[in-house]
Amino acid sequence: MSGAALHRFNVKEYYRMAEIGVLQEDASVELLDGSVFDRSDGTLHRFSVKDYYRMAESGVIPPGARVELLDGKVIDMSPIGPLHGGLVKGLIRVFTRFPQGRWLLAAQDPVHLEDHSEPQPDLMLLKPSADDYRSRHPKPEDVFLLIEVSDSTLETDQEVKLPVYGRAGITEVWIVNLDQSTLEVYREPQFDGYGSTQFLHAGDRVAPAQFPDAVIEVSELLRS
């Protein structure tokens, strides 16, 4: 997966996967340089969300590991630096200015896209839920807007995550591109990404498609 750092497993963890049933007894797989490959076609083995949680529960994925599941691949997430963390807090402040009850804010929480993908975006505006999603993770139809803050993660967000979000039907994605001081706005989800793309800069204004009255100065989102 170009632009994404695959999580590397050791031999002990590989055998543990077999012990807990993540790798079936008759699976034709092998461990090469920390990655599990299907020997039948030489491609990376795809894990399901169920496999992913089982690996976490059994310690194959260590407690506290910063990982996420994308298209069946366990991806290492970059550490959150002060700038990245501060910008996410700024986004929360911006969106809490608007009347409460129209959306639920979720910061760096999972979204269950499908059986092989459960990433953790930086921020989501979700449909309100009576139990605040205590019984399940949000799904694509629950997401009004998904935002990624991109510095060292830009290539992963653009080339890996965005097609997955589009394929899952996330209606709108914003990428706060810190390297180019640009807000990238993606709408009209398609199988391989998005049909509509806008690049906005300081001085422009933007609003979520679902809430056209919630107008925000782009400079507020890019502030460092």
Side-chain angles (χ1 to χ4, degrees), residues 18 34 41 44 51 60 79 82 142 150 152 162 169 171-172 197:
D41 55 12
L44 286 165
D51 295 333
V60 171
D142 300 312
S150 299
S152 62
L162 202 61
T171 57
E172 184 169 7
T197 304

Side-chain angles (χ1 to χ4, degrees), residues 65-87:
R66 280 186 48 75
V67 294
E68 57 188 349
L69 187 70
L70 281 173
D71 197 24
K73 313 299 187 297
V74 181
I75 305 299
D76 283 330
M77 300 170 64
S78 298
I80 298 175
L83 174 59
H84 190 120
L87 280 165

Side-chain angles (χ1 to χ4, degrees), residues 130-150:
D131 69 349
D132 292 331
Y133 296 96
R134 292 190 183 99
S135 58
R136 64 176 178 85
H137 287 313
K139 297 180 179 181
E141 59 266 28
D142 300 312
V143 181
F144 292 130
L145 171 65
L146 184 153
I147 304 177
E148 295 283 8
V149 174
S150 299

